[in-house]
Amino acid sequence: MVSPSPLVNLPATLTWANDQLRILDQTRLPQEAVVETLTSAHEVWRAIHELRVRGAPAIGVAAAYGLCVAVQASRHLPLDAFRAALAEQAAYLDSARPTAVNLSWSLKRMLRAAECAGATDTASLYHTLVDEAQAIHREDQRLCAGIGQHGAPLIREGSGVLTHCNAGALATTGIGTATAPIYEAQRNGVAFRVYADETRPLLQGARLTAYELQRAGVDVTLVTDSMAASLMARGQIDVVIVGTDRVAANGDFANKIGTLNLAIVARYFGVDFYVACPSSTLDLDTPDGRGIVIEERGASEVTHLGGRMIAPEGIKVFNPAFDVTPHDLVTGYITEAGIIGSPYEANLAARFGRAA
Ligand code: MRU
């Protein structure tokens, strides 16, 4: 069994025990911490699609266990038929959301593990899958910890840190990506302030980042997305740290809608802009940001707030869930292997490329 959330005061994003996948329903936070058991491929697909489990690394881990859940019903089949079901269910889960590369990365890794296993029966192949999902889970926790170690020195005594969306513990199974340097700096006794963008339309910053940082005792202030420029103009932000859903080979990256605005504003005010990126979120097969598919979500996420209509009936809506920030606005990538600066194409390939 892999240990649950390393943060004592926070419910685990997901757990795997007795062949059961349980997730914390993040759509109900911060009001209530409801844990649900996912018992079929369809339930896993819906949980990812509806953002009950969300954040690129957490989606990857959930999909790996989700694939184990998905093939449990095929365990009575002969090996060939089991392998066919495995491929089919992986393709199905992969269609839940398009932008975070961790989803396809983890499913491909599961299929590769199944291919390489010299299993002669279905039961042992199933156990290979569970072992691989647990390896992905443990690795996610290690990557977050590595990002924390390398990123913490960016937060100095008295710093103001701005973050967007939730790239926190809730978006991973460890201490988060963008929040890892925050938790590590706090552990080192550094005094600093964090500003959390609320992150319209689904308010991951207000509902999740504010919730987890507050529970961890971090000095956190909630602001609306439109307040970032004003904060920087007042000199209250020393560093921006965001997460990412996919980083292309040239260093362009996708993250929650509004990240591009922040990067532009940070450049204008000369504020450092870092992206916390575990290697599981790198997509070196996509040359640049133009190749990243951006998820578009339903209109009601914009026209409604807390279930209440806030726009005129029939209004046209544009609701991309992510945007792409060009690499030249990035000060550096905080990875588990250290901080990677420009030129990104060469430096990412040298550190994480196939040949490296
Ligand atoms: O739509 P979400 O909530 O899954 O979007 C999450 C983000 O954009 C995060 O910043 C990103 O996945 C990195 S999580 C460590």
Side-chain angles (χ1 to χ4, degrees), residues 39-42 44 63 65-74 82 85-86 89-90 92-93 126:
T39 59
S40 69
H42 184 57
V44 175
Y65 285 129
L67 189 58
C68 300
V69 170
V71 295
Q72 279 169 357
S74 305
F82 182 81
L86 184 65
Q89 299 294 359
Y92 171 61
L93 292 178
Y126 175 77

Short mmCIF file of all heavy atoms in Angstrom, two decimals, residues 39-42 44 63 65-74 82 85-86 89-90 92-93 126:
data_model
loop_
_atom_site.label_atom_id
_atom_site.label_comp_id
_atom_site.label_asym_id
_atom_site.label_seq_id
_atom_site.Cartn_x
_atom_site.Cartn_y
_atom_site.Cartn_z
N THR A 39 -16.09 2.05 -9.09
CA THR A 39 -16.15 0.59 -9.27
C THR A 39 -16.20 0.15 -10.73
O THR A 39 -16.32 -1.04 -11.00
CB THR A 39 -17.38 0.02 -8.53
OG1 THR A 39 -18.54 0.64 -9.08
CG2 THR A 39 -17.32 0.27 -7.04
N SER A 40 -16.14 1.09 -11.68
CA SER A 40 -16.16 0.69 -13.09
C SER A 40 -15.39 1.72 -13.92
O SER A 40 -15.13 2.83 -13.45
CB SER A 40 -17.60 0.63 -13.60
OG SER A 40 -18.13 1.94 -13.66
N ALA A 41 -15.07 1.33 -15.16
CA ALA A 41 -14.36 2.25 -16.06
C ALA A 41 -15.19 3.52 -16.24
O ALA A 41 -14.65 4.63 -16.26
CB ALA A 41 -14.12 1.57 -17.40
N HIS A 42 -16.49 3.36 -16.39
CA HIS A 42 -17.36 4.51 -16.61
C HIS A 42 -17.32 5.47 -15.42
O HIS A 42 -17.24 6.69 -15.59
CB HIS A 42 -18.79 4.04 -16.88
CG HIS A 42 -19.71 5.17 -17.22
ND1 HIS A 42 -19.47 6.02 -18.27
CD2 HIS A 42 -20.85 5.59 -16.62
CE1 HIS A 42 -20.43 6.94 -18.31
NE2 HIS A 42 -21.27 6.71 -17.32
N VAL A 44 -14.84 5.85 -13.33
CA VAL A 44 -13.52 6.51 -13.31
C VAL A 44 -13.50 7.61 -14.37
O VAL A 44 -13.06 8.74 -14.12
CB VAL A 44 -12.39 5.48 -13.57
CG1 VAL A 44 -11.04 6.18 -13.68
CG2 VAL A 44 -12.36 4.42 -12.48
N ALA A 63 -5.95 7.40 -13.22
CA ALA A 63 -6.16 6.60 -14.44
C ALA A 63 -5.44 5.26 -14.34
O ALA A 63 -5.95 4.23 -14.81
CB ALA A 63 -5.68 7.38 -15.66
N TYR A 65 -4.77 3.45 -11.58
CA TYR A 65 -5.60 2.57 -10.75
C TYR A 65 -6.95 2.31 -11.44
O TYR A 65 -7.52 1.22 -11.33
CB TYR A 65 -5.87 3.21 -9.38
CG TYR A 65 -4.68 3.17 -8.43
CD1 TYR A 65 -4.25 4.33 -7.79
CD2 TYR A 65 -4.02 1.98 -8.16
CE1 TYR A 65 -3.18 4.31 -6.90
CE2 TYR A 65 -2.94 1.94 -7.28
CZ TYR A 65 -2.53 3.11 -6.65
OH TYR A 65 -1.48 3.06 -5.77
N GLY A 66 -7.43 3.35 -12.14
CA GLY A 66 -8.72 3.23 -12.83
C GLY A 66 -8.68 2.11 -13.87
O GLY A 66 -9.67 1.39 -14.07
N LEU A 67 -7.53 1.93 -14.50
CA LEU A 67 -7.40 0.86 -15.48
C LEU A 67 -7.48 -0.51 -14.78
O LEU A 67 -8.07 -1.45 -15.32
CB LEU A 67 -6.07 1.02 -16.24
CG LEU A 67 -5.87 0.09 -17.44
CD1 LEU A 67 -6.99 0.25 -18.47
CD2 LEU A 67 -4.51 0.35 -18.11
N CYS A 68 -6.91 -0.59 -13.59
CA CYS A 68 -7.02 -1.85 -12.82
C CYS A 68 -8.49 -2.13 -12.51
O CYS A 68 -8.98 -3.26 -12.68
CB CYS A 68 -6.23 -1.77 -11.51
SG CYS A 68 -4.47 -1.46 -11.76
N VAL A 69 -9.20 -1.08 -12.07
CA VAL A 69 -10.64 -1.23 -11.78
C VAL A 69 -11.38 -1.67 -13.05
O VAL A 69 -12.21 -2.58 -13.03
CB VAL A 69 -11.24 0.10 -11.27
CG1 VAL A 69 -12.75 0.04 -11.19
CG2 VAL A 69 -10.64 0.46 -9.90
N ALA A 70 -11.02 -1.03 -14.17
CA ALA A 70 -11.74 -1.27 -15.43
C ALA A 70 -11.62 -2.71 -15.90
O ALA A 70 -12.54 -3.22 -16.54
CB ALA A 70 -11.19 -0.32 -16.51
N VAL A 71 -10.48 -3.37 -15.61
CA VAL A 71 -10.32 -4.75 -16.10
C VAL A 71 -10.68 -5.81 -15.05
O VAL A 71 -10.58 -7.00 -15.34
CB VAL A 71 -8.89 -4.99 -16.65
CG1 VAL A 71 -8.64 -4.13 -17.88
CG2 VAL A 71 -7.83 -4.75 -15.59
N GLN A 72 -11.11 -5.35 -13.88
CA GLN A 72 -11.46 -6.35 -12.85
C GLN A 72 -12.58 -7.28 -13.35
O GLN A 72 -12.56 -8.48 -13.09
CB GLN A 72 -11.89 -5.65 -11.56
CG GLN A 72 -10.68 -5.21 -10.72
CD GLN A 72 -11.04 -4.29 -9.57
OE1 GLN A 72 -12.20 -3.90 -9.39
NE2 GLN A 72 -10.04 -3.90 -8.79
N ALA A 73 -13.51 -6.72 -14.12
CA ALA A 73 -14.63 -7.53 -14.61
C ALA A 73 -14.19 -8.52 -15.68
O ALA A 73 -14.96 -9.41 -16.05
CB ALA A 73 -15.72 -6.61 -15.17
N SER A 74 -12.96 -8.38 -16.21
CA SER A 74 -12.48 -9.27 -17.29
C SER A 74 -11.52 -10.33 -16.76
O SER A 74 -10.90 -11.04 -17.55
CB SER A 74 -11.77 -8.44 -18.36
OG SER A 74 -12.60 -7.42 -18.83
N PHE A 82 -8.25 -10.87 -22.22
CA PHE A 82 -7.97 -9.91 -21.14
C PHE A 82 -7.10 -8.77 -21.68
O PHE A 82 -7.35 -7.59 -21.41
CB PHE A 82 -7.27 -10.61 -19.98
CG PHE A 82 -6.98 -9.72 -18.80
CD1 PHE A 82 -7.97 -9.41 -17.87
CD2 PHE A 82 -5.72 -9.17 -18.63
CE1 PHE A 82 -7.70 -8.57 -16.79
CE2 PHE A 82 -5.44 -8.33 -17.55
CZ PHE A 82 -6.44 -8.04 -16.62
N ALA A 85 -9.19 -6.44 -23.73
CA ALA A 85 -10.03 -5.59 -22.87
C ALA A 85 -9.19 -4.47 -22.27
O ALA A 85 -9.63 -3.31 -22.18
CB ALA A 85 -10.66 -6.42 -21.76
N LEU A 86 -7.97 -4.81 -21.92
CA LEU A 86 -7.06 -3.83 -21.32
C LEU A 86 -6.81 -2.65 -22.29
O LEU A 86 -6.93 -1.48 -21.90
CB LEU A 86 -5.74 -4.54 -21.01
CG LEU A 86 -4.66 -3.75 -20.30
CD1 LEU A 86 -5.13 -3.37 -18.90
CD2 LEU A 86 -3.38 -4.61 -20.19
N GLN A 89 -10.04 -0.55 -22.68
CA GLN A 89 -10.36 0.30 -21.51
C GLN A 89 -9.37 1.45 -21.38
O GLN A 89 -9.74 2.56 -20.98
CB GLN A 89 -10.36 -0.53 -20.22
CG GLN A 89 -11.38 -1.65 -20.18
CD GLN A 89 -12.81 -1.13 -20.19
OE1 GLN A 89 -13.06 0.07 -20.19
NE2 GLN A 89 -13.76 -2.03 -20.22
N ALA A 90 -8.10 1.21 -21.74
CA ALA A 90 -7.10 2.29 -21.67
C ALA A 90 -7.48 3.40 -22.65
O ALA A 90 -7.41 4.59 -22.32
CB ALA A 90 -5.71 1.75 -21.97
N TYR A 92 -10.43 4.11 -23.72
CA TYR A 92 -11.63 4.77 -23.21
C TYR A 92 -11.27 5.78 -22.11
O TYR A 92 -11.67 6.95 -22.16
CB TYR A 92 -12.59 3.70 -22.67
CG TYR A 92 -13.77 4.26 -21.92
CD1 TYR A 92 -14.69 5.10 -22.54
CD2 TYR A 92 -13.97 3.94 -20.57
CE1 TYR A 92 -15.77 5.62 -21.84
CE2 TYR A 92 -15.05 4.44 -19.87
CZ TYR A 92 -15.95 5.29 -20.50
OH TYR A 92 -17.01 5.81 -19.81
N LEU A 93 -10.45 5.37 -21.15
CA LEU A 93 -10.08 6.28 -20.05
C LEU A 93 -9.31 7.48 -20.59
O LEU A 93 -9.46 8.61 -20.10
CB LEU A 93 -9.26 5.54 -18.99
CG LEU A 93 -10.02 4.49 -18.18
CD1 LEU A 93 -9.09 3.79 -17.19
CD2 LEU A 93 -11.19 5.12 -17.41
N TYR A 126 -2.89 -9.10 -14.00
CA TYR A 126 -3.61 -8.11 -13.19
C TYR A 126 -2.70 -7.59 -12.07
O TYR A 126 -2.63 -6.38 -11.82
CB TYR A 126 -4.89 -8.73 -12.62
CG TYR A 126 -5.61 -7.79 -11.67
CD1 TYR A 126 -6.37 -6.73 -12.16
CD2 TYR A 126 -5.49 -7.93 -10.29
CE1 TYR A 126 -7.00 -5.84 -11.29
CE2 TYR A 126 -6.11 -7.06 -9.42
CZ TYR A 126 -6.87 -6.01 -9.93
OH TYR A 126 -7.48 -5.12 -9.06
#
